[in-house]
């Protein structure tokens, strides 16, 4: 079983166990001892089943089981064993003697076990990783309160007052409390003390806001501002200056296939104007905001510009307000397929249309043929491929080279299947792969924000690129001069997915990823956290939400390693600004194909990714999930170089 299957099974077993404990208590109270005994047995089995699932999860990684091992299971074991000894024998006796009932202590034990069993999954869903003293104390307090309230319901009045059973004589006056009465008072004290202490710890102000992952800050490090880390003023030798003006404004866009879209746009078009350059050119882009009320920026996704040109509001610039402008300037040193989009309120702005493509070609011209840049974007139920919806048709000469630059501008992955020709994945996220081999009838899963360059030789028959297994949606390549009708694409839902970690051939690396100067672990989850100053059920990193997640401190020249763990049930496409990362391993299995350099990688539920990069681009860089609603819900932090500061920090990024 996969890790995510164990996670789901653990949730199911935990909830079933809690339900069985509560049902056993309820049926015992209704004097149905045989049914109660059966439910009691199922609850005990579920308790042992829960222990087994937690052991399996712990074997996959401590991150998946910490709160279960340290809190959930001990709490369940204590309450469950108490129920076994206090309720088990009496339930068995009651089942054999019709008319017999379970005493209040037995009912209390069954319901308390239910509260303890339910506490485990509730802590997992609401708090997650890491387990804190505040969470543990509040959980113990809540279970105790549940037990005390249950006692008030199931125990006769005399028992509630004195702790003695109804058939026992009243205690002498000199004895203030019976043993049971003393235990009730102690339970109240424990519940109140644990709850108050936990609440106090929960609302304390964290003292550390920067984590080093290695050596601490260097007091002698020079101080730089990101405002001074701007692009060069001239192109490389032989290059040109490529100037663009992008005007951000609302517009109604008419689709070629018919229908209108109310959008936020760059220059009134969907996508925004394509920006192209030749390696060594200087790209100078002036952003104007006509009427986007919340402000707008341009972030060059995957392009390692200098920090001041990165377009991250609150880190590298202020958002450009209506009527204002900002000029971005950087040299086109990286060849490949990239894209740009707003980073201000991006979960809304990108979805509504503030995106476009950036393609840099090498100085040595590519072979003549068909070269298509195809951003895929979803507006509600309308999916655009480039500027069109539905199936996009292009013509190519048989024998001509074809390059399809697939760009995923959405917040969720897309599946592409090439039918009718062998092909190669020549580049991922703009970076060429080493000796990629020809493949057929495989699916390419493109992460949110990612890009694949697919190359093929056009045959004399049509080629279909099926999008998301929908045979009516995608790209159709027709051979020039063909008069044959368009074929129906094959069913691709059962095609295997191409694993890029084992595709292509190994090559030399510029650094040793096994000898990292700094190592950071990011555990991705959902839970209660503070996001932009307000409590929320957030998308979290190590239990925190933006901007409360500690900055990651690095020094220029460091080899930095990330371990990224997904504890949740949602996919998180992880994206670090300003740097290209090398995929080291996934779930402990090393990358064995071409070195895979990416700027966005999909961490699916239950997965553990190890990546590495060299800190060679000083600045203050955003580091976040590129499912943009997850980013808005708190899943974003900063990578900060020692000695670099920002004058733009305003405590908020997305709004």
């Amino acid at each position: 079983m996969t890790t995510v299957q164990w996670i789901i099974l653990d949730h199911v077993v935990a909830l079933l166990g809690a339900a069985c404990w509560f049902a056993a208590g309820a049926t015992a109270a209704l004097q149905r001892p045989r049914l109660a005994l059966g439910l009691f047995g199922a609850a005990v089995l579920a308790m042992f089943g829960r222990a087994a699932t937690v052991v399996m999860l712990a074997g996959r990684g401590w991150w998946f089981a910490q709160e279960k091992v340290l809190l959930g299971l001990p709490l369940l074991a204590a309450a469950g064993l108490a129920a076994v000894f206090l309720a088990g024998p009496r339930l068995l006796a009651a089942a054999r003697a019709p008319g017999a009932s379970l005493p209040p202590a037995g009912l209390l034990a069954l319901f308390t076990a239910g509260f303890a069993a339910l506490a485990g999954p509730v802590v997992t869903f609401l708090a997650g990783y890491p387990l804190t003293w505040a969470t543990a104390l509040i959980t113990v307090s809540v279970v105790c309160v549940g037990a005390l309230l249950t006692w008030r319901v199931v125990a006769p009045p005399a028992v509630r007052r004195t702790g003695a059973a109804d058939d026992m004589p009243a205690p002498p006056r000199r004895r203030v409390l019976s043993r049971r009465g003393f235990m009730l008072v102690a339970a109240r004290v424990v519940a109140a003390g644990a709850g108050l202490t936990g609440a106090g710890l929960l609302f304390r102000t964290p003292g550390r806001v920067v984590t080093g992952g290695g050596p601490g800050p260097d007091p002698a490090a020079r101080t730089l501002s990101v405002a001074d880390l701007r692009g060069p003023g001239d192109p490389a030798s032989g290059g040109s200056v490529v100037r663009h003006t992008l005007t951000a404004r609302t517009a109604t866009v008419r689709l070629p296939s018919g229908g209108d879209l109310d959008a936020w746009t760059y220059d009134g078009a969907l996508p925004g104007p394509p920006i192209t350059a030749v390696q060594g050119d200087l790209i100078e882009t002036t952003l104007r905001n006509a009427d986007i009320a919340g402000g707008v920026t341009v972030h060059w996704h995957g392009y390692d510009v200098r920090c001041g040109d990165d377009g991250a509001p609150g880190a590298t610039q202020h958002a450009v307000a209506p009527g204002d402008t900002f000029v971005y300037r950087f040299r086109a040193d990286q060849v490949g397929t990239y894209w740009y989009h707003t980073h201000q309120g991006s979960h809304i702005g990108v979805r509504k249309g503030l995106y476009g493509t950036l393609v840099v070609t090498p100085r040595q011209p590519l072979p003549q043929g068909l070269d298509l840049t195809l951003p895929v974007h979803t507006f509600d139920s309308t999916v655009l491929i480039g500027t069109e919806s539905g199936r996009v048709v292009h013509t190519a000469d048989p024998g001509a080279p074809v390059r399809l630059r697939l760009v995923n501008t959405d917040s969720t992955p897309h599946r592409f299947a090439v039918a009718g020709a062998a092909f190669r994945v020549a580049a991922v996220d703009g970076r060429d792969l080493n000796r990629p081999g020809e493949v057929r009838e495989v699916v390419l899963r493109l992460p949110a924000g990612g890009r694949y360059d697919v190359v093929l030789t056009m045959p004399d028959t049509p080629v279909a690129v099926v999008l998301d297994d929908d045979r009516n949606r995608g790209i159709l390549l027709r051979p020039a001069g063909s008069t044959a009708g368009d074929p129906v694409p094959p069913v691709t839902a059962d095609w295997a997915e191409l694993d890029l970690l084992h595709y292509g051939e190994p090559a030399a690396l510029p650094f040793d990823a096994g000898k990292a100067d700094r190592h950071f672990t990011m555990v991705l989850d959902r839970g209660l956290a503070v996001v932009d100053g307000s409590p929320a059920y957030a998308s979290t990193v190590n239990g925190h939400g933006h901007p409360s997640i500690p900055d990651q401190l690095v020094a220029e020249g460091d080899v930095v390693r990330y371990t990224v763990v997904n504890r949740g049930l949602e996919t998180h496409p992880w994206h670090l600004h300003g740097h290209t990362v090398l995929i080291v391993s996934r779930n402990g299995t090393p990358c064995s194909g071409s070195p895979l350099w990416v700027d966005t990688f999909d961490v699916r539920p239950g997965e553990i990714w190890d990546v590495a990069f060299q800190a060679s681009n000083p600045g203050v860089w955003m580091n976040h999930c590129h499912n943009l609603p997850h980013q808005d819900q708190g899943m974003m932090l900063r990578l900060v170089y020692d000695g670099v500061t920002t004058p733009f920090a305003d405590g908020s990024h997305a709004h």
Side-chain angles (χ1 to χ4, degrees):
M1 292 177 64
T2 64
T3 301
V4 70
Q5 289 172 331
W6 281 113
I7 291 173
I8 294 172
L9 180 61
D10 179 68
H11 293 339
V12 171
V13 171
L15 294 174
L16 283 176
C20 287
W21 284 116
F22 284 124
T27 52
L30 294 172
Q31 297 189 6
R32 300 182 64 184
R34 291 186 178 178
L35 179 56
L37 183 62
L39 291 167
F40 170 78
V44 173
L45 288 176
M47 183 169 64
F48 285 105
R50 184 87 202 284
T53 59
V54 170
V55 168
M56 293 303 300
L57 285 174
R60 301 299 173 94
W62 180 240
W63 312 283
F64 300 112
Q66 187 205 44
E67 82 286 359
K68 302 173 178 63
V69 172
L70 297 181
L71 179 63
L73 277 187
L75 200 60
L76 175 59
L81 289 175
V84 167
F85 288 110
L86 291 176
R90 298 187 183 187
L91 272 178
L92 186 60
R96 292 173 178 172
S101 62
L102 194 67
L107 291 174
L108 175 64
L110 291 175
F111 281 107
T112 301
F115 290 126
L118 185 60
V122 168
V123 167
T124 294
F125 283 115
L126 295 185
Y129 178 93
L131 179 67
T132 64
W133 278 108
T135 298
L137 291 171
I138 291 173
T139 302
V140 171
S141 174
V142 169
V143 171
C144 289
V145 169
L148 290 169
L149 293 175
T150 301
W151 180 253
R152 292 186 62 86
V153 172
V154 303
V159 177
R160 293 203 302 268
R161 287 195 303 270
T162 66
D166 285 341
D167 56 354
M168 294 177 61
R173 282 186 174 273
R174 61 185 177 84
R175 188 176 179 184
V176 179
L177 288 176
S178 68
R179 184 177 302 170
R180 289 179 180 171
F182 174 78
M183 292 178 64
L184 289 174
V185 172
R188 294 187 184 105
V189 171
V190 169
L196 291 173
T197 304
L201 292 173
L202 184 65
F203 291 106
R204 67 175 180 172
T205 302
R208 186 176 69 175
V209 295
V210 177
T211 180
D218 180 4
R222 57 180 179 157
T223 300
L224 292 173
S225 170
V226 297
D228 298 323
L229 296 172
R230 302 299 305 276
D234 300 308
S237 177
S240 303
V241 179
V242 179
R243 292 187 172 91
H244 289 269
T245 297
L246 298 177
T247 302
R249 61 184 176 89
T250 59
T252 299
V253 179
R254 171 59 61 92
L255 299 178
S257 56
D260 294 331
L261 292 174
D262 292 327
W264 296 0
T265 69
Y266 292 115
D267 285 10
L270 291 176
I275 295 177
T276 60
V278 176
Q279 186 179 18
D281 286 350
L282 181 75
I283 297 175
E284 183 177 287
T285 303
T286 300
L287 171 65
R288 302 182 186 277
N289 185 355
D291 61 0
I292 305 299
V296 67
T297 68
V298 177
H299 166 61
W300 309 97
H301 185 108
Y303 221 81
D304 298 342
V305 300
R306 298 197 76 190
C307 190
D309 292 288
D310 189 50
T316 67
Q317 68 173 94
H318 294 306
V320 180
D324 289 344
T325 63
F326 189 90
V327 179
Y328 300 92
R329 186 180 294 106
F330 59 94
R331 190 173 290 159
D333 293 325
Q334 297 169 223
V335 170
T337 306
Y338 304 90
W339 65 298
Y340 63 87
H341 61 83
T342 185
H343 223 284
Q344 170 70 7
S346 55
H347 64 297
I348 298 173
V350 176
R351 176 175 55 83
K352 292 177 75 70
L354 288 170
Y355 72 97
T357 59
L358 167 66
V359 173
V360 177
T361 55
R363 282 193 174 276
Q364 184 68 30
L366 294 170
Q368 291 295 315
L370 183 64
D371 191 327
L372 300 174
T373 303
L374 300 164
V376 178
H377 194 80
T378 304
F379 291 85
D380 299 324
S381 59
T382 301
V383 178
L384 293 185
I385 302 175
T387 61
E388 303 179 48
S389 60
R391 182 179 294 171
V392 181
V393 179
H394 292 274
T395 300
D397 293 327
V402 175
R403 179 178 288 260
L404 306 176
R405 302 175 186 266
L406 307 175
V407 184
N408 184 358
T409 67
D410 284 331
S411 286
T412 54
H414 283 296
R415 287 166 53 92
F416 295 88
V418 180
F423 67 93
R424 292 181 172 87
V425 181
V428 174
D429 287 359
R431 287 81 177 179
D432 288 345
L433 298 183
N434 185 52
R435 297 186 178 180
E438 274 196 342
V439 291
R440 283 180 177 269
E441 296 188 356
V442 293
V443 169
L444 303 177
R445 187 178 189 274
L446 184 56
R451 289 90 58 214
Y452 292 157
D453 283 25
V454 173
V455 298
L456 56 92
T457 299
M458 186 66 196
D460 56 7
T461 53
V463 176
V465 181
V466 179
L467 176 62
D468 294 331
D469 303 318
D470 184 344
R471 293 188 288 172
N472 296 315
R473 195 163 62 186
I475 304 146
L476 180 65
L477 302 176
R478 289 177 180 155
S482 173
T483 58
D486 295 336
V488 177
V491 175
T492 60
D494 59 348
W495 285 11
E497 181 182 317
L498 179 64
D499 188 349
L500 291 173
L501 270 68
H502 310 295
Y503 177 66
E505 298 184 13
L509 298 173
F511 58 80
D512 185 352
K515 297 180 179 179
D517 300 294
R518 299 176 189 265
H519 190 174
F520 299 95
T521 298
M522 293 179 285
V523 180
L524 314 181
D525 205 355
R526 287 190 70 88
L528 295 176
V530 176
V531 178
D532 288 330
S534 301
Y537 189 63
S539 295
T540 60
V541 179
N542 298 338
H544 299 285
H546 175 78
S548 300
I549 306 170
D551 293 340
Q552 296 170 332
L553 177 69
V554 300
E556 189 171 0
D558 283 346
V559 173
V560 184
R561 188 152 173 164
Y562 281 160
T563 297
V564 188
V565 182
N566 188 351
R567 268 179 50 106
L569 300 178
E570 301 172 284
T571 295
H572 298 297
W574 202 256
H575 173 56
L576 171 63
H577 288 207
H579 302 77
T580 305
V581 303
L582 172 71
I583 304 300
V584 178
S585 68
R586 181 186 60 218
N587 299 329
T589 302
C591 181
S592 62
S594 167
L596 192 55
W597 296 92
V598 300
D599 52 67
T600 313
F601 55 97
D602 255 355
V603 188
R604 302 190 213 182
E607 288 188 340
I608 304 169
W609 287 67
D610 274 292
V611 305
F613 64 94
Q614 192 147 33
S616 56
N617 194 2
V620 176
W621 300 99
M622 307 315 296
N623 190 15
H624 63 92
C625 178
H626 217 275
N627 182 315
L628 297 177
H630 294 175
Q631 171 197 282
D632 177 62
Q633 294 161 12
M635 195 168 276
M636 178 168 62
L637 64 153
R638 305 191 310 177
L639 176 79
V640 178
Y641 277 67
D642 199 3
V644 179
T645 63
T646 175
F648 305 110
D650 57 8
S652 175
H653 178 91
H655 303 291

